[in-house]
Amino acid sequence: MYRYLLLTLALLAPLAAAAPATDAWAWVDEAAQRRLGDRLEARAQSAVAPWQVNLPTATARWSRQPLFSSQAGSWPFEPFAHNGLFAAIAGYQPQHPQALVLSEGRISLAALHRALNDPAVLDRHKDGYLLSYPLLIEPGAALTLDDTHLYLNAASGTALINRGTLRVRGTTIESWSPGGGRSSARPWRPFIVSWAGSTLDIERSTLRRLGYNAHLARGLTAARSAAQGNAAPARVRLADSHVEALSALELSQAQVVLRNTRIEQMEQFGLDLNDSLFLVEANRIEHVRNESAIRLRGQSRGLLRDNLILAGHKAGIEIRQQQGSLALIGNRIGATAGSGLLLRDLGQADDGGLLVRGNLIGNSGAQGVDGERVGRLLLLDNRIDGNRGHAVSLTSAEGSAGRLVMIGNRIERTGRAPLHSERLAQLVLGPNVFRLAVQQNALEGELLPLQPQLLDATRRAGCTLALRPRPAAGQPLPAHPTCAEALPPAGGLHGGR
Protein backbone atom coordinates (compact mmCIF):
# COMPACT_ATOMS: atom_id res chain seq x y z
CA MET A 1 0.00 0.00 0.00
CA TYR A 2 1.18 3.47 -0.89
CA ARG A 3 -0.23 6.90 -0.30
CA TYR A 4 0.51 10.40 -1.53
CA LEU A 5 1.49 13.09 0.95
CA LEU A 6 1.57 16.69 -0.18
CA LEU A 7 4.38 18.48 1.67
CA THR A 8 5.53 22.05 1.57
CA LEU A 9 9.32 21.83 1.95
CA ALA A 10 11.67 24.85 1.24
CA LEU A 11 14.97 26.42 2.50
CA LEU A 12 15.94 29.95 3.62
CA ALA A 13 18.17 30.90 0.71
CA PRO A 14 19.88 34.29 1.01
CA LEU A 15 20.73 35.32 4.52
CA ALA A 16 18.75 38.52 3.95
CA ALA A 17 15.59 36.46 3.50
CA ALA A 18 16.18 34.34 6.61
CA ALA A 19 14.19 34.64 9.80
CA PRO A 20 15.79 36.59 12.67
CA ALA A 21 18.35 34.58 14.62
CA THR A 22 15.97 34.24 17.57
CA ASP A 23 13.21 32.66 15.46
CA ALA A 24 13.27 28.94 14.79
CA TRP A 25 10.29 29.08 12.38
CA ALA A 26 9.18 31.57 9.72
CA TRP A 27 6.66 31.53 6.89
CA VAL A 28 8.29 32.68 3.62
CA ASP A 29 7.18 33.43 0.08
CA GLU A 30 7.55 30.48 -2.28
CA ALA A 31 7.72 32.80 -5.29
CA ALA A 32 10.73 34.59 -3.78
CA GLN A 33 12.55 31.28 -3.41
CA ARG A 34 11.84 30.44 -7.06
CA ARG A 35 13.10 33.84 -8.17
CA LEU A 36 16.36 33.05 -6.39
CA GLY A 37 16.59 29.93 -8.56
CA ASP A 38 15.94 32.02 -11.67
CA ARG A 39 18.79 34.37 -10.79
CA LEU A 40 21.13 31.50 -10.14
CA GLU A 41 20.24 29.91 -13.48
CA ALA A 42 20.83 33.21 -15.30
CA ARG A 43 24.31 33.54 -13.76
CA ALA A 44 25.17 29.96 -14.68
CA GLN A 45 23.87 30.37 -18.24
CA SER A 46 25.96 33.50 -18.82
CA ALA A 47 29.22 31.66 -18.06
CA VAL A 48 30.23 31.11 -21.72
CA ALA A 49 29.96 33.99 -24.16
CA PRO A 50 29.48 33.13 -27.87
CA TRP A 51 32.70 32.80 -29.83
CA GLN A 52 33.77 31.80 -33.31
CA VAL A 53 36.84 30.26 -34.91
CA ASN A 54 39.04 32.72 -36.80
CA LEU A 55 41.51 30.98 -39.10
CA PRO A 56 44.65 32.68 -40.43
CA THR A 57 44.75 33.29 -44.18
CA ALA A 58 48.42 32.54 -44.91
CA THR A 59 49.68 29.02 -45.51
CA ALA A 60 51.29 27.53 -42.43
CA ARG A 61 54.96 26.67 -42.31
CA TRP A 62 56.07 23.29 -41.03
CA SER A 63 59.34 22.00 -39.62
CA ARG A 64 60.74 19.04 -37.73
CA GLN A 65 62.22 20.11 -34.43
CA PRO A 66 64.04 18.18 -31.68
CA LEU A 67 62.25 17.57 -28.40
CA PHE A 68 63.96 18.15 -25.08
CA SER A 69 62.68 17.10 -21.69
CA SER A 70 63.78 20.19 -19.79
CA GLN A 71 64.98 23.44 -21.27
CA ALA A 72 63.65 26.88 -22.17
CA GLY A 73 60.54 26.56 -24.33
CA SER A 74 60.09 22.82 -23.79
CA TRP A 75 57.05 23.16 -21.51
CA PRO A 76 54.36 22.24 -24.13
CA PHE A 77 55.62 18.65 -24.26
CA GLU A 78 57.76 18.37 -21.12
CA PRO A 79 54.96 16.79 -18.99
CA PHE A 80 54.59 13.99 -21.52
CA ALA A 81 58.28 13.14 -21.41
CA HIS A 82 57.66 12.04 -17.84
CA ASN A 83 54.55 10.09 -18.92
CA GLY A 84 56.41 7.88 -21.39
CA LEU A 85 56.57 10.06 -24.53
CA PHE A 86 60.31 9.69 -25.19
CA ALA A 87 60.23 5.97 -24.49
CA ALA A 88 57.42 5.54 -27.01
CA ILE A 89 59.19 7.71 -29.61
CA ALA A 90 62.46 5.80 -29.17
CA GLY A 91 60.84 2.66 -30.50
CA TYR A 92 60.06 4.42 -33.78
CA GLN A 93 62.49 7.30 -34.42
CA PRO A 94 66.15 6.25 -34.74
CA GLN A 95 67.50 9.76 -34.03
CA HIS A 96 66.96 12.19 -31.16
CA PRO A 97 63.16 12.55 -30.69
CA GLN A 98 61.56 15.04 -33.06
CA ALA A 99 58.11 16.60 -33.43
CA LEU A 100 56.34 18.04 -36.44
CA VAL A 101 55.71 21.74 -35.74
CA LEU A 102 53.23 24.04 -37.54
CA SER A 103 53.62 27.83 -37.36
CA GLU A 104 52.35 31.09 -38.88
CA GLY A 105 49.29 30.18 -40.92
CA ARG A 106 46.75 27.48 -41.72
CA ILE A 107 47.03 24.17 -43.50
CA SER A 108 44.76 21.20 -44.14
CA LEU A 109 45.76 17.64 -43.38
CA ALA A 110 45.82 16.77 -47.09
CA ALA A 111 48.02 19.78 -47.92
CA LEU A 112 50.36 18.94 -45.05
CA HIS A 113 50.72 15.40 -46.37
CA ARG A 114 51.67 16.69 -49.82
CA ALA A 115 54.10 19.26 -48.43
CA LEU A 116 55.87 16.79 -46.13
CA ASN A 117 56.16 13.97 -48.66
CA ASP A 118 57.52 11.76 -45.89
CA PRO A 119 55.53 8.61 -45.05
CA ALA A 120 57.57 8.13 -41.86
CA VAL A 121 55.86 11.25 -40.50
CA LEU A 122 52.47 11.38 -42.25
CA ASP A 123 51.34 8.69 -44.66
CA ARG A 124 48.22 7.69 -46.54
CA HIS A 125 46.49 4.93 -44.56
CA LYS A 126 43.24 3.06 -45.24
CA ASP A 127 40.56 5.74 -45.71
CA GLY A 128 42.70 8.61 -44.47
CA TYR A 129 46.12 9.37 -43.02
CA LEU A 130 48.48 7.90 -40.42
CA LEU A 131 50.44 10.36 -38.24
CA SER A 132 53.54 8.89 -36.61
CA TYR A 133 55.19 11.97 -35.04
CA PRO A 134 54.02 14.23 -32.24
CA LEU A 135 52.46 17.29 -33.89
CA LEU A 136 52.71 20.70 -32.22
CA ILE A 137 50.48 23.56 -33.45
CA GLU A 138 52.10 26.86 -32.45
CA PRO A 139 50.21 30.07 -31.60
CA GLY A 140 49.14 31.74 -34.83
CA ALA A 141 48.96 28.40 -36.68
CA ALA A 142 45.91 26.31 -37.54
CA LEU A 143 45.41 22.74 -38.70
CA THR A 144 42.10 21.87 -40.36
CA LEU A 145 40.75 18.34 -40.69
CA ASP A 146 37.75 18.07 -43.03
CA ASP A 147 35.87 14.90 -44.01
CA THR A 148 38.78 12.55 -43.45
CA HIS A 149 40.14 9.94 -41.04
CA LEU A 150 43.26 10.58 -38.97
CA TYR A 151 44.95 7.57 -37.39
CA LEU A 152 47.44 8.31 -34.62
CA ASN A 153 50.22 5.72 -34.45
CA ALA A 154 50.25 4.23 -30.95
CA ALA A 155 53.68 2.65 -31.52
CA SER A 156 55.51 5.93 -32.16
CA GLY A 157 54.57 8.37 -29.39
CA THR A 158 52.05 10.30 -31.47
CA ALA A 159 50.08 13.15 -29.90
CA LEU A 160 48.35 16.34 -31.04
CA ILE A 161 49.61 19.26 -28.93
CA ASN A 162 47.63 22.41 -29.69
CA ARG A 163 48.69 25.96 -28.84
CA GLY A 164 46.99 27.52 -31.85
CA THR A 165 43.82 26.30 -33.58
CA LEU A 166 42.71 22.77 -34.37
CA ARG A 167 39.47 22.68 -36.37
CA VAL A 168 37.85 19.32 -37.07
CA ARG A 169 34.82 18.74 -39.31
CA GLY A 170 33.33 15.40 -40.34
CA THR A 171 36.48 13.54 -39.29
CA THR A 172 37.39 10.53 -37.19
CA ILE A 173 40.49 10.71 -34.99
CA GLU A 174 41.58 7.47 -33.37
CA SER A 175 44.63 5.58 -32.21
CA TRP A 176 46.01 2.82 -34.39
CA SER A 177 48.41 0.06 -33.45
CA PRO A 178 50.45 -1.94 -35.97
CA GLY A 179 49.40 -5.11 -34.17
CA GLY A 180 45.74 -4.19 -34.27
CA GLY A 181 45.46 -3.95 -30.48
CA ARG A 182 47.36 -2.11 -27.79
CA SER A 183 50.76 -1.07 -29.05
CA SER A 184 52.97 -2.45 -26.30
CA ALA A 185 53.26 -3.07 -22.60
CA ARG A 186 54.06 0.63 -22.10
CA PRO A 187 51.09 2.65 -20.79
CA TRP A 188 50.88 4.85 -23.88
CA ARG A 189 48.04 5.76 -26.19
CA PRO A 190 47.87 8.86 -28.41
CA PHE A 191 45.96 11.88 -27.12
CA ILE A 192 44.97 15.50 -27.84
CA VAL A 193 45.91 18.36 -25.51
CA SER A 194 45.00 22.05 -25.93
CA TRP A 195 47.01 24.53 -23.89
CA ALA A 196 45.72 27.90 -22.65
CA GLY A 197 45.31 30.40 -25.48
CA SER A 198 44.33 27.71 -28.00
CA THR A 199 41.09 26.89 -29.81
CA LEU A 200 39.84 23.36 -30.35
CA ASP A 201 36.67 23.18 -32.44
CA ILE A 202 35.20 19.76 -33.26
CA GLU A 203 31.93 19.22 -35.11
CA ARG A 204 30.24 16.16 -36.64
CA SER A 205 33.28 14.05 -35.80
CA THR A 206 34.39 10.99 -33.84
CA LEU A 207 37.14 10.58 -31.25
CA ARG A 208 37.98 6.96 -30.45
CA ARG A 209 40.48 5.04 -28.30
CA LEU A 210 42.57 7.98 -27.16
CA GLY A 211 44.50 8.58 -23.94
CA TYR A 212 45.44 6.64 -20.83
CA ASN A 213 45.28 7.32 -17.11
CA ALA A 214 48.16 9.78 -16.71
CA HIS A 215 48.37 13.53 -16.07
CA LEU A 216 47.29 15.57 -19.14
CA ALA A 217 47.16 12.44 -21.31
CA ARG A 218 43.65 11.09 -20.70
CA GLY A 219 42.36 11.50 -24.24
CA LEU A 220 41.16 15.06 -24.84
CA THR A 221 42.62 17.58 -22.39
CA ALA A 222 42.59 21.35 -21.95
CA ALA A 223 45.07 22.78 -19.45
CA ARG A 224 47.16 25.75 -18.43
CA SER A 225 50.91 25.47 -17.85
CA ALA A 226 52.62 27.44 -15.11
CA ALA A 227 54.75 28.88 -17.92
CA GLN A 228 51.73 30.51 -19.59
CA GLY A 229 51.07 33.29 -17.10
CA ASN A 230 47.94 35.27 -18.00
CA ALA A 231 47.22 33.55 -21.32
CA ALA A 232 43.52 33.37 -22.16
CA PRO A 233 41.70 30.14 -21.28
CA ALA A 234 41.66 27.40 -23.87
CA ARG A 235 38.44 27.39 -25.89
CA VAL A 236 36.90 23.99 -26.57
CA ARG A 237 33.75 23.26 -28.56
CA LEU A 238 32.57 19.71 -29.22
CA ALA A 239 29.25 19.47 -31.07
CA ASP A 240 27.18 16.82 -32.87
CA SER A 241 29.92 14.27 -32.35
CA HIS A 242 30.76 10.86 -30.89
CA VAL A 243 33.39 10.18 -28.23
CA GLU A 244 34.20 6.56 -27.44
CA ALA A 245 36.72 4.68 -25.28
CA LEU A 246 38.84 7.59 -24.08
CA SER A 247 40.26 7.68 -20.60
CA ALA A 248 38.42 11.00 -20.04
CA LEU A 249 37.48 14.40 -21.40
CA GLU A 250 39.55 16.45 -18.94
CA LEU A 251 39.09 20.21 -19.32
CA SER A 252 40.73 22.61 -16.89
CA GLN A 253 40.73 26.43 -16.93
CA ALA A 254 38.85 26.42 -20.22
CA GLN A 255 35.75 27.85 -21.87
CA VAL A 256 33.75 24.79 -22.90
CA VAL A 257 30.73 24.20 -25.12
CA LEU A 258 29.70 20.54 -25.30
CA ARG A 259 26.49 19.98 -27.24
CA ASN A 260 24.58 17.09 -28.78
CA THR A 261 27.44 14.61 -28.41
CA ARG A 262 27.43 10.95 -27.37
CA ILE A 263 30.16 10.01 -24.88
CA GLU A 264 30.44 6.33 -23.97
CA GLN A 265 32.67 3.54 -22.70
CA MET A 266 35.03 5.94 -20.94
CA GLU A 267 37.65 4.63 -18.52
CA GLN A 268 37.88 7.33 -15.80
CA PHE A 269 35.35 10.16 -16.29
CA GLY A 270 32.98 10.96 -19.10
CA LEU A 271 33.58 14.68 -18.54
CA ASP A 272 35.89 16.22 -15.91
CA LEU A 273 35.64 20.03 -15.63
CA ASN A 274 37.92 22.00 -13.31
CA ASP A 275 38.06 25.81 -12.94
CA SER A 276 36.13 26.16 -16.19
CA LEU A 277 33.21 28.08 -17.67
CA PHE A 278 30.87 25.77 -19.52
CA LEU A 279 27.65 25.03 -21.35
CA VAL A 280 26.92 21.30 -21.50
CA GLU A 281 23.59 20.46 -23.12
CA ALA A 282 21.71 17.73 -24.97
CA ASN A 283 24.48 15.14 -24.63
CA ARG A 284 24.32 11.42 -23.87
CA ILE A 285 26.99 10.20 -21.43
CA GLU A 286 26.94 6.55 -20.45
CA HIS A 287 28.95 3.55 -19.27
CA VAL A 288 31.84 5.14 -17.39
CA ARG A 289 33.87 2.32 -15.86
CA ASN A 290 35.79 3.69 -12.87
CA GLU A 291 34.57 7.14 -11.81
CA SER A 292 31.59 9.47 -12.21
CA ALA A 293 29.98 10.26 -15.54
CA ILE A 294 30.55 14.01 -14.92
CA ARG A 295 32.77 15.67 -12.32
CA LEU A 296 32.82 19.44 -11.61
CA ARG A 297 35.49 21.06 -9.43
CA GLY A 298 37.14 24.33 -8.47
CA GLN A 299 36.02 27.77 -9.65
CA SER A 300 33.69 26.33 -12.24
CA ARG A 301 30.54 28.08 -13.39
CA GLY A 302 28.00 27.00 -15.94
CA LEU A 303 24.90 25.11 -17.04
CA LEU A 304 24.22 21.40 -17.55
CA ARG A 305 20.92 21.11 -19.40
CA ASP A 306 18.88 18.33 -21.02
CA ASN A 307 21.61 15.68 -20.82
CA LEU A 308 21.04 11.92 -20.53
CA ILE A 309 23.51 10.50 -18.01
CA LEU A 310 23.50 6.72 -17.49
CA ALA A 311 25.57 4.06 -15.74
CA GLY A 312 28.25 6.11 -14.05
CA HIS A 313 30.28 3.85 -11.81
CA LYS A 314 30.65 6.28 -8.91
CA ALA A 315 27.91 8.88 -9.50
CA GLY A 316 25.96 10.44 -12.31
CA ILE A 317 27.24 13.95 -11.51
CA GLU A 318 29.92 14.55 -8.88
CA ILE A 319 30.54 18.12 -7.67
CA ARG A 320 33.49 18.46 -5.33
CA GLN A 321 35.37 21.38 -3.72
CA GLN A 322 33.54 23.81 -5.94
CA GLN A 323 32.82 27.56 -5.79
CA GLY A 324 30.56 29.41 -8.23
CA SER A 325 27.10 29.31 -9.76
CA LEU A 326 26.00 25.98 -11.18
CA ALA A 327 22.65 24.97 -12.67
CA LEU A 328 21.49 21.44 -13.49
CA ILE A 329 18.30 21.76 -15.55
CA GLY A 330 16.19 19.05 -17.18
CA ASN A 331 18.76 16.25 -17.05
CA ARG A 332 17.92 12.54 -16.81
CA ILE A 333 20.31 10.73 -14.49
CA GLY A 334 20.01 7.02 -13.81
CA ALA A 335 21.42 3.54 -13.26
CA THR A 336 24.45 4.73 -11.31
CA ALA A 337 26.28 2.35 -9.01
CA GLY A 338 26.55 5.16 -6.44
CA SER A 339 24.40 8.27 -5.99
CA GLY A 340 22.74 10.22 -8.77
CA LEU A 341 24.25 13.48 -7.49
CA LEU A 342 27.31 13.36 -5.21
CA LEU A 343 28.04 16.74 -3.59
CA ARG A 344 31.06 17.46 -1.40
CA ASP A 345 32.39 20.77 -0.06
CA LEU A 346 30.44 23.26 -2.15
CA GLY A 347 31.19 26.91 -1.44
CA GLN A 348 28.90 29.31 0.38
CA ALA A 349 29.48 32.57 -1.53
CA ASP A 350 26.38 34.79 -1.50
CA ASP A 351 26.33 35.00 -5.31
CA GLY A 352 26.91 31.27 -5.83
CA GLY A 353 25.18 27.99 -5.21
CA LEU A 354 23.80 24.93 -6.92
CA LEU A 355 20.39 24.91 -8.61
CA VAL A 356 18.92 21.49 -9.41
CA ARG A 357 15.65 22.00 -11.28
CA GLY A 358 13.42 19.79 -13.41
CA ASN A 359 15.69 16.74 -13.40
CA LEU A 360 14.83 13.05 -13.27
CA ILE A 361 17.12 11.17 -10.87
CA GLY A 362 16.33 7.48 -10.70
CA ASN A 363 17.50 3.94 -10.03
CA SER A 364 20.66 4.91 -8.17
CA GLY A 365 22.52 2.37 -6.09
CA ALA A 366 22.73 4.81 -3.17
CA GLN A 367 21.09 8.23 -2.61
CA GLY A 368 19.36 10.28 -5.25
CA VAL A 369 21.16 13.39 -3.93
CA ASP A 370 24.00 12.81 -1.45
CA GLY A 371 25.50 16.01 -0.04
CA GLU A 372 28.06 16.82 2.64
CA ARG A 373 29.13 20.36 3.52
CA VAL A 374 26.98 22.00 0.86
CA GLY A 375 26.71 25.78 1.07
CA ARG A 376 23.50 26.56 -0.85
CA LEU A 377 21.39 24.00 -2.64
CA LEU A 378 18.05 24.59 -4.39
CA LEU A 379 16.04 21.48 -5.32
CA LEU A 380 13.08 22.63 -7.43
CA ASP A 381 10.57 20.55 -9.40
CA ASN A 382 12.63 17.37 -9.71
CA ARG A 383 11.43 13.77 -9.87
CA ILE A 384 13.52 11.45 -7.69
CA ASP A 385 12.44 7.85 -8.13
CA GLY A 386 13.62 4.34 -7.35
CA ASN A 387 16.82 5.05 -5.40
CA ARG A 388 18.04 2.49 -2.88
CA GLY A 389 18.91 5.02 -0.19
CA HIS A 390 17.40 8.40 0.64
CA ALA A 391 16.04 10.57 -2.13
CA VAL A 392 17.93 13.50 -0.53
CA SER A 393 20.56 13.24 2.21
CA LEU A 394 22.42 16.36 3.37
CA THR A 395 24.93 16.62 6.17
CA SER A 396 26.79 19.78 7.22
CA ALA A 397 29.70 20.32 9.55
CA GLU A 398 28.89 21.64 13.01
CA GLY A 399 28.50 25.44 12.89
CA SER A 400 28.48 25.63 9.07
CA ALA A 401 26.02 27.63 6.97
CA GLY A 402 24.49 24.78 4.97
CA ARG A 403 21.22 25.91 3.33
CA LEU A 404 18.61 23.89 1.44
CA VAL A 405 15.54 25.01 -0.53
CA MET A 406 13.26 22.12 -1.50
CA ILE A 407 10.05 22.94 -3.43
CA GLY A 408 7.90 21.18 -6.01
CA ASN A 409 9.68 17.82 -6.05
CA ARG A 410 8.05 14.42 -6.55
CA ILE A 411 9.73 11.62 -4.62
CA GLU A 412 8.75 7.96 -4.69
CA ARG A 413 10.05 4.42 -4.24
CA THR A 414 12.94 5.23 -1.93
CA GLY A 415 14.73 2.57 0.08
CA ARG A 416 14.93 4.90 3.08
CA ALA A 417 13.12 8.05 4.22
CA PRO A 418 12.92 10.55 1.33
CA LEU A 419 14.63 13.41 3.21
CA HIS A 420 17.49 13.02 5.67
CA SER A 421 19.41 15.97 7.12
CA GLU A 422 21.95 16.61 9.86
CA ARG A 423 23.24 19.96 11.17
CA LEU A 424 21.74 22.17 8.44
CA ALA A 425 21.76 25.85 9.37
CA GLN A 426 18.67 26.73 7.32
CA LEU A 427 15.93 24.71 5.71
CA VAL A 428 13.00 25.91 3.60
CA LEU A 429 10.30 23.37 2.83
CA GLY A 430 7.63 24.00 0.21
CA PRO A 431 5.11 21.88 -1.76
CA ASN A 432 6.56 18.43 -2.52
CA VAL A 433 4.82 15.11 -3.19
CA PHE A 434 6.20 12.09 -1.32
CA ARG A 435 4.93 8.64 -2.21
CA LEU A 436 5.60 6.53 0.89
CA ALA A 437 5.37 2.87 1.67
CA VAL A 438 3.36 1.76 4.69
CA GLN A 439 5.22 2.56 7.93
CA GLN A 440 7.84 4.62 6.06
CA ASN A 441 8.85 7.96 7.54
CA ALA A 442 9.00 10.97 5.23
CA LEU A 443 11.79 12.59 7.28
CA GLU A 444 14.86 11.27 9.04
CA GLY A 445 17.72 12.67 11.08
CA GLU A 446 17.23 15.99 12.85
CA LEU A 447 13.86 16.47 11.12
CA LEU A 448 12.25 13.32 12.49
CA PRO A 449 10.98 14.97 15.74
CA LEU A 450 9.42 17.72 13.60
CA GLN A 451 7.63 15.40 11.19
CA PRO A 452 4.03 15.87 12.52
CA GLN A 453 4.32 19.67 12.59
CA LEU A 454 5.97 19.89 9.17
CA LEU A 455 3.53 17.59 7.42
CA ASP A 456 0.53 19.38 8.87
CA ALA A 457 1.82 22.93 8.51
CA THR A 458 3.13 22.63 4.97
CA ARG A 459 0.50 20.45 3.36
CA ARG A 460 -1.31 23.32 1.65
CA ALA A 461 -0.06 24.60 -1.72
CA GLY A 462 1.60 27.98 -1.38
CA CYS A 463 2.62 27.48 2.25
CA THR A 464 6.40 27.52 2.57
CA LEU A 465 8.10 27.17 5.90
CA ALA A 466 11.65 28.19 6.80
CA LEU A 467 13.26 26.77 9.89
CA ARG A 468 16.42 26.19 11.82
CA PRO A 469 15.90 22.50 12.57
CA ARG A 470 17.47 22.13 16.01
CA PRO A 471 15.87 25.15 17.75
CA ALA A 472 12.57 24.47 15.97
CA ALA A 473 12.13 21.16 17.82
CA GLY A 474 11.09 22.97 20.99
CA GLN A 475 9.33 26.00 19.56
CA PRO A 476 5.70 26.45 18.41
CA LEU A 477 4.86 27.37 14.82
CA PRO A 478 4.25 31.08 14.14
CA ALA A 479 0.75 32.21 13.29
CA HIS A 480 -0.26 32.39 9.62
CA PRO A 481 -3.72 33.41 8.34
CA THR A 482 -4.09 30.54 5.86
CA CYS A 483 -1.35 28.01 6.62
CA ALA A 484 -1.29 27.72 10.42
CA GLU A 485 -4.87 28.38 11.49
CA ALA A 486 -7.77 25.94 11.60
CA LEU A 487 -5.52 22.94 11.02
CA PRO A 488 -6.36 19.58 12.60
CA PRO A 489 -4.13 18.21 15.35
CA ALA A 490 -0.64 17.10 14.33
CA GLY A 491 -1.02 13.46 15.37
CA GLY A 492 -1.39 10.46 13.09
CA LEU A 493 1.46 11.25 10.67
CA HIS A 494 4.47 9.42 12.11
CA GLY A 495 5.52 6.48 9.97
CA GLY A 496 3.55 7.67 6.93
CA ARG A 497 0.35 5.96 8.00
Side-chain angles (χ1 to χ4, degrees):
M1 292 290 294
Y2 291 90
R3 106 172 185 172
Y4 288 91
L5 293 177
L6 183 64
L7 295 184
T8 315
L9 299 166
L11 177 179
L12 276 174
L15 288 172
T22 56
D23 294 338
W25 304 90
W27 298 101
V28 295
D29 181 16
E30 177 185 333
Q33 305 299 315
R34 290 184 172 279
R35 287 194 295 271
L36 173 65
D38 294 340
R39 292 194 297 271
L40 189 54
E41 180 178 355
R43 285 196 296 270
Q45 190 162 1
S46 66
V48 179
W51 48 269
Q52 61 184 14
V53 179
N54 296 313
L55 297 174
T57 56
T59 300
R61 298 191 302 171
W62 64 267
S63 61
R64 277 179 282 193
Q65 297 183 13
L67 297 176
F68 298 95
S69 61
S70 181
Q71 72 170 35
S74 67
W75 64 263
F77 44 83
E78 186 175 329
F80 314 118
H82 303 294
N83 288 345
L85 174 64
F86 283 10
I89 292 174
Y92 183 82
Q93 295 188 31
Q95 73 283 346
H96 183 87
Q98 291 185 335
L100 177 63
V101 179
L102 302 182
S103 58
E104 300 179 14
R106 65 183 286 186
I107 194 167
S108 69
L109 187 63
L112 181 61
H113 172 255
R114 292 192 298 269
L116 278 168
N117 193 28
D118 187 348
V121 180
L122 182 61
D123 196 11
R124 292 288 310 190
H125 182 75
K126 297 183 180 180
D127 55 341
Y129 299 88
L130 175 65
L131 178 66
S132 298
Y133 271 44
L135 190 151
L136 175 61
I137 305 170
E138 292 278 21
L143 175 64
T144 61
L145 280 64
D146 296 289
D147 302 313
T148 188
H149 198 139
L150 176 60
Y151 298 89
L152 305 179
N153 192 342
S156 64
T158 307
L160 298 178
I161 302 172
N162 180 30
R163 295 188 60 207
T165 298
L166 176 58
R167 194 197 70 181
V168 183
R169 296 286 187 273
T171 291
T172 296
I173 303 175
E174 66 177 311
S175 65
W176 174 83
S177 176
R182 294 187 181 273
S183 59
S184 71
R186 290 189 302 270
W188 176 270
R189 206 163 60 163
F191 56 85
I192 302 169
V193 60
S194 272
W195 290 109
S198 68
T199 296
L200 174 61
D201 192 75
I202 301 173
E203 187 176 297
R204 296 178 291 102
S205 297
T206 297
L207 306 179
R208 183 182 296 128
R209 294 193 298 273
L210 300 176
Y212 59 101
N213 191 22
H215 181 53
L216 301 177
R218 292 187 175 90
L220 192 155
T221 299
R224 177 188 298 276
S225 168
Q228 293 193 275
N230 295 323
R235 303 189 305 171
V236 178
R237 187 177 78 97
L238 184 57
D240 305 312
S241 294
H242 181 208
V243 177
E244 179 183 1
L246 276 63
S247 182
L249 294 181
E250 186 179 51
L251 308 175
S252 180
Q253 297 193 44
Q255 295 183 12
V256 178
V257 175
L258 178 61
R259 181 181 283 122
N260 196 32
T261 290
R262 183 166 182 170
I263 301 170
E264 60 182 336
Q265 304 297 336
M266 306 291 276
E267 291 290 338
Q268 300 302 319
F269 294 93
L271 175 63
D272 190 5
L273 291 168
N274 184 29
D275 292 333
S276 292
L277 306 177
F278 61 87
L279 172 62
V280 176
E281 65 176 350
N283 304 285
R284 182 182 180 114
I285 303 176
E286 59 184 332
H287 300 301
V288 177
R289 292 191 177 93
N290 295 311
E291 298 286 349
S292 300
I294 295 176
R295 181 170 69 170
L296 307 175
R297 296 175 292 153
Q299 299 286 335
S300 292
R301 179 164 61 93
L303 174 64
L304 279 82
R305 180 171 58 199
D306 298 333
N307 300 283
L308 177 61
I309 302 167
L310 299 173
H313 177 76
K314 186 175 181 181
I317 299 175
E318 176 183 350
I319 307 175
R320 186 177 293 274
Q321 295 179 327
Q322 190 274 335
Q323 300 271 348
S325 300
L326 298 176
L328 279 54
I329 310 292
N331 302 286
R332 291 169 291 161
I333 305 165
T336 58
S339 296
L341 300 184
L342 180 64
L343 315 175
R344 295 292 186 271
D345 300 299
L346 275 62
Q348 300 175 12
D350 287 343
D351 62 344
L354 172 61
L355 170 67
V356 181
R357 178 155 62 192
N359 302 276
L360 170 61
I361 304 171
N363 298 320
S364 299
Q367 274 63 247
V369 179
D370 180 1
E372 294 183 9
R373 300 173 299 280
V374 176
R376 178 185 292 163
L377 172 62
L378 282 73
L379 296 175
L380 306 178
D381 306 322
N382 302 284
R383 182 180 175 188
I384 307 177
D385 186 1
N387 300 285
R388 291 188 179 181
H390 302 286
V392 179
S393 177
L394 291 179
T395 303
S396 289
E398 194 71 45
S400 69
R403 291 171 278 174
L404 170 66
V405 176
M406 190 169 171
I407 298 173
N409 302 281
R410 181 184 179 91
I411 296 174
E412 52 189 313
R413 297 189 302 170
T414 61
R416 301 187 64 179
L419 176 58
H420 167 264
S421 74
E422 298 287 350
R423 298 182 294 279
L424 289 185
Q426 297 173 322
L427 187 64
V428 178
L429 304 177
N432 297 275
V433 174
F434 289 174
R435 187 179 185 184
L436 303 175
V438 173
Q439 300 299 317
Q440 184 180 26
N441 283 312
L443 311 176
E444 193 175 289
E446 64 191 359
L447 297 178
L448 181 58
L450 304 172
Q451 181 166 257
Q453 291 168 290
L454 289 174
L455 298 188
D456 271 350
T458 62
R459 66 182 182 172
R460 296 186 182 184
C463 297
T464 300
L465 187 63
L467 65 148
R468 295 184 295 132
R470 288 188 177 182
Q475 299 293 326
L477 284 172
H480 190 286
T482 59
C483 295
E485 292 184 359
L487 289 176
L493 290 170
H494 277 299
R497 293 195 299 271

